[in-house]
Amino acid sequence: MTGPLRLGVNIDHVATVRNARGGALPDPVRAALLAIESGADGITAHLREDRRHIRDADIERLKAEISKPLNFEMAATDEMVAMARRIKPHAACLVPEKREERTTEGGLDIVGGRDHLKPFIDALRGEGVRVSLFVEADRQVLDMAAELNAPVVELHTGSWCEAVAHGHEAAAARELRRLSEGAAYGASLGLEMHAGHGLDFATAETLAAVPDFAEFNIGHFLIGEAIFTGLPAAIWTMRAAMERGRNPAG
Ligand code: PXP
């Protein structure tokens, strides 16, 4: 039986636009509240070390003001763990920020970085935060995620979305198979499977057909689409696409 598929909306790029002028508008927390009102199941925000979009005060306000789970994306650093300790998000997704933390495709290098990452994962788990690892769909990597006791893995969909966008059909088919086999393998290890990066209406609909995914996290496309249709319509259309993908018979 296929379970429900949640939509987490990433509001980082509302902050990108705000920061372009150095003022307070547009307010990413207002976008988060509107996204929830429009059907988002959760809000994702990435507090980068360079604070290029989301800032500390945004995270504090998000945690205080939103009624749905906050997925806090963060690098594995003492500073970010301290932030997670203070605000206690529902989930923390560990992502690479530096080249050396990344695999060739772009997910977190949890195989090479195991010893560095383990204390951060343990510390977050100790705070009752649901840890997610943003990784490539690779068996060895998924085995390591299970060994590290991460309850959740988010598969990096960037290579697939790029291949689709450039019309590279063979590569796209190969990447989609990798994601679908990775999701099944991760789920067989007891991991909750999420996906994200670069998804749009069409790719989200296609990927929703993979029954092992429980959540998609989508940002850049939705915020861009909101310029033309408004954020509620962008989210409704995304939800409808995901629903069609998951339950084609309606
Ligand atoms: N998931 C993770 C772990 C991310 O870091 C990001 C942002 O890069 C996303 C999902 C959302 O990606 P996008 O903004 O391309 O939809």
Side-chain angles (χ1 to χ4, degrees), residues 69-91:
L70 173 63
N71 178 29
F72 177 51
E73 282 182 13
M74 53 177 268
T77 64
D78 290 332
E79 184 198 15
M80 291 302 152
V81 168
M83 183 63 159
R85 279 210 166 96
R86 195 160 73 248
I87 59 153
K88 298 227 184 320
H90 167 79

CSV table of all heavy atoms in Angstrom, one decimal, residues 69-91:
chain,number,residue,atom,x,y,z
A,69,PRO,N,5.6,21.3,11.4
A,69,PRO,CA,7.0,21.0,11.7
A,69,PRO,C,8.0,21.9,10.9
A,69,PRO,O,7.8,22.2,9.8
A,69,PRO,CB,7.1,19.5,11.2
A,69,PRO,CG,5.8,19.0,11.3
A,69,PRO,CD,4.8,20.1,10.9
A,70,LEU,N,9.1,22.2,11.7
A,70,LEU,CA,10.2,23.0,11.1
A,70,LEU,C,11.3,22.0,10.8
A,70,LEU,O,11.8,21.3,11.7
A,70,LEU,CB,10.7,24.1,12.0
A,70,LEU,CG,11.9,24.8,11.6
A,70,LEU,CD1,11.7,25.6,10.3
A,70,LEU,CD2,12.4,25.8,12.7
A,71,ASN,N,11.7,21.9,9.5
A,71,ASN,CA,12.9,21.1,9.1
A,71,ASN,C,14.1,22.1,9.0
A,71,ASN,O,14.1,22.9,8.1
A,71,ASN,CB,12.5,20.4,7.8
A,71,ASN,CG,13.7,19.6,7.3
A,71,ASN,OD1,14.5,19.1,8.0
A,71,ASN,ND2,13.7,19.4,6.0
A,72,PHE,N,15.0,22.0,9.9
A,72,PHE,CA,16.1,22.9,10.0
A,72,PHE,C,17.3,22.3,9.2
A,72,PHE,O,17.9,21.3,9.7
A,72,PHE,CB,16.5,23.1,11.5
A,72,PHE,CG,17.6,24.0,11.8
A,72,PHE,CD1,17.8,25.3,11.2
A,72,PHE,CD2,18.6,23.6,12.6
A,72,PHE,CE1,18.9,26.1,11.5
A,72,PHE,CE2,19.7,24.4,13.0
A,72,PHE,CZ,19.8,25.7,12.4
A,73,GLU,N,17.6,22.9,8.1
A,73,GLU,CA,18.8,22.4,7.3
A,73,GLU,C,20.0,23.1,7.8
A,73,GLU,O,20.1,24.3,8.0
A,73,GLU,CB,18.6,22.8,5.8
A,73,GLU,CG,17.7,21.9,5.1
A,73,GLU,CD,17.6,22.2,3.7
A,73,GLU,OE1,18.5,23.0,3.2
A,73,GLU,OE2,16.7,21.7,3.0
A,74,MET,N,21.1,22.3,8.1
A,74,MET,CA,22.3,22.8,8.7
A,74,MET,C,23.5,22.0,8.3
A,74,MET,O,23.4,20.8,8.0
A,74,MET,CB,22.1,22.8,10.2
A,74,MET,CG,21.7,21.4,10.8
A,74,MET,SD,21.6,21.3,12.6
A,74,MET,CE,23.3,20.8,13.0
A,75,ALA,N,24.6,22.7,8.4
A,75,ALA,CA,25.9,22.0,8.3
A,75,ALA,C,26.2,21.4,9.6
A,75,ALA,O,25.7,21.8,10.6
A,75,ALA,CB,27.0,23.0,7.9
A,76,ALA,N,27.1,20.3,9.6
A,76,ALA,CA,27.5,19.7,10.8
A,76,ALA,C,28.6,20.5,11.5
A,76,ALA,O,29.8,20.3,11.3
A,76,ALA,CB,28.0,18.3,10.6
A,77,THR,N,28.2,21.5,12.3
A,77,THR,CA,29.1,22.4,13.0
A,77,THR,C,28.6,22.6,14.4
A,77,THR,O,27.4,22.5,14.7
A,77,THR,CB,29.3,23.7,12.3
A,77,THR,OG1,28.0,24.4,12.4
A,77,THR,CG2,29.7,23.6,10.9
A,78,ASP,N,29.5,22.9,15.3
A,78,ASP,CA,29.1,23.2,16.7
A,78,ASP,C,28.1,24.3,16.8
A,78,ASP,O,27.2,24.3,17.5
A,78,ASP,CB,30.4,23.5,17.5
A,78,ASP,CG,31.3,22.3,17.7
A,78,ASP,OD1,30.7,21.2,17.7
A,78,ASP,OD2,32.5,22.5,17.9
A,79,GLU,N,28.4,25.4,15.9
A,79,GLU,CA,27.5,26.5,16.0
A,79,GLU,C,26.1,26.1,15.6
A,79,GLU,O,25.1,26.6,16.3
A,79,GLU,CB,28.0,27.6,14.9
A,79,GLU,CG,27.2,28.8,15.0
A,79,GLU,CD,27.4,29.7,13.7
A,79,GLU,OE1,28.0,29.2,12.7
A,79,GLU,OE2,27.0,30.9,13.7
A,80,MET,N,25.9,25.3,14.6
A,80,MET,CA,24.6,24.9,14.2
A,80,MET,C,23.9,24.0,15.2
A,80,MET,O,22.7,24.0,15.4
A,80,MET,CB,24.6,24.3,12.8
A,80,MET,CG,24.9,25.4,11.7
A,80,MET,SD,23.7,26.7,11.7
A,80,MET,CE,24.8,28.0,11.1
A,81,VAL,N,24.7,23.1,15.8
A,81,VAL,CA,24.1,22.2,16.8
A,81,VAL,C,23.6,23.0,18.0
A,81,VAL,O,22.6,22.8,18.5
A,81,VAL,CB,25.1,21.1,17.2
A,81,VAL,CG1,24.6,20.4,18.4
A,81,VAL,CG2,25.3,20.1,16.1
A,82,ALA,N,24.4,24.1,18.3
A,82,ALA,CA,24.0,24.9,19.4
A,82,ALA,C,22.6,25.6,19.1
A,82,ALA,O,21.7,25.7,19.9
A,82,ALA,CB,25.0,26.0,19.7
A,83,MET,N,22.5,26.0,17.8
A,83,MET,CA,21.3,26.7,17.4
A,83,MET,C,20.1,25.6,17.5
A,83,MET,O,19.0,26.0,18.0
A,83,MET,CB,21.4,27.1,15.9
A,83,MET,CG,20.2,27.9,15.4
A,83,MET,SD,19.9,29.4,16.3
A,83,MET,CE,19.0,30.3,15.2
A,84,ALA,N,20.4,24.4,17.0
A,84,ALA,CA,19.3,23.4,17.1
A,84,ALA,C,18.9,23.1,18.5
A,84,ALA,O,17.8,22.9,18.8
A,84,ALA,CB,19.8,22.1,16.4
A,85,ARG,N,19.9,23.1,19.4
A,85,ARG,CA,19.6,22.9,20.9
A,85,ARG,C,18.7,23.9,21.4
A,85,ARG,O,17.8,23.7,22.2
A,85,ARG,CB,20.9,23.0,21.7
A,85,ARG,CG,21.7,21.7,21.7
A,85,ARG,CD,22.5,21.6,23.0
A,85,ARG,NE,23.0,20.2,23.0
A,85,ARG,CZ,24.3,19.9,22.6
A,85,ARG,NH1,25.1,20.8,22.2
A,85,ARG,NH2,24.6,18.6,22.7
A,86,ARG,N,19.0,25.2,20.9
A,86,ARG,CA,18.2,26.3,21.5
A,86,ARG,C,16.8,26.3,20.9
A,86,ARG,O,15.8,26.4,21.7
A,86,ARG,CB,18.9,27.6,21.1
A,86,ARG,CG,18.4,28.8,21.9
A,86,ARG,CD,19.3,29.9,21.9
A,86,ARG,NE,19.4,30.7,20.7
A,86,ARG,CZ,20.5,30.7,19.9
A,86,ARG,NH1,21.5,30.0,20.2
A,86,ARG,NH2,20.4,31.4,18.8
A,87,ILE,N,16.6,26.1,19.6
A,87,ILE,CA,15.2,26.2,19.1
A,87,ILE,C,14.5,24.9,19.0
A,87,ILE,O,13.3,24.9,18.8
A,87,ILE,CB,15.3,26.9,17.7
A,87,ILE,CG1,16.1,26.1,16.7
A,87,ILE,CG2,15.7,28.3,17.7
A,87,ILE,CD1,15.6,26.3,15.3
A,88,LYS,N,15.2,23.8,19.1
A,88,LYS,CA,14.5,22.5,19.1
A,88,LYS,C,13.5,22.3,17.9
A,88,LYS,O,12.3,22.2,18.1
A,88,LYS,CB,13.8,22.2,20.4
A,88,LYS,CG,14.7,22.1,21.6
A,88,LYS,CD,14.4,20.9,22.4
A,88,LYS,CE,15.2,20.8,23.7
A,88,LYS,NZ,16.6,21.2,23.7
A,89,PRO,N,14.1,22.3,16.6
A,89,PRO,CA,13.2,22.1,15.5
A,89,PRO,C,12.7,20.6,15.5
A,89,PRO,O,13.3,19.8,16.2
A,89,PRO,CB,14.1,22.3,14.3
A,89,PRO,CG,15.5,21.9,14.8
A,89,PRO,CD,15.5,22.3,16.3
A,90,HIS,N,11.6,20.4,14.8
A,90,HIS,CA,11.1,19.0,14.7
A,90,HIS,C,12.2,18.1,14.1
A,90,HIS,O,12.4,17.0,14.5
A,90,HIS,CB,9.9,19.0,13.8
A,90,HIS,CG,9.4,17.7,13.3
A,90,HIS,ND1,8.7,16.8,14.1
A,90,HIS,CD2,9.6,17.0,12.1
A,90,HIS,CE1,8.5,15.7,13.5
A,90,HIS,NE2,9.0,15.8,12.3
A,91,ALA,N,12.8,18.6,13.0
A,91,ALA,CA,13.9,17.8,12.3
A,91,ALA,C,15.1,18.7,12.0
A,91,ALA,O,14.9,19.9,11.8
A,91,ALA,CB,13.3,17.2,11.0
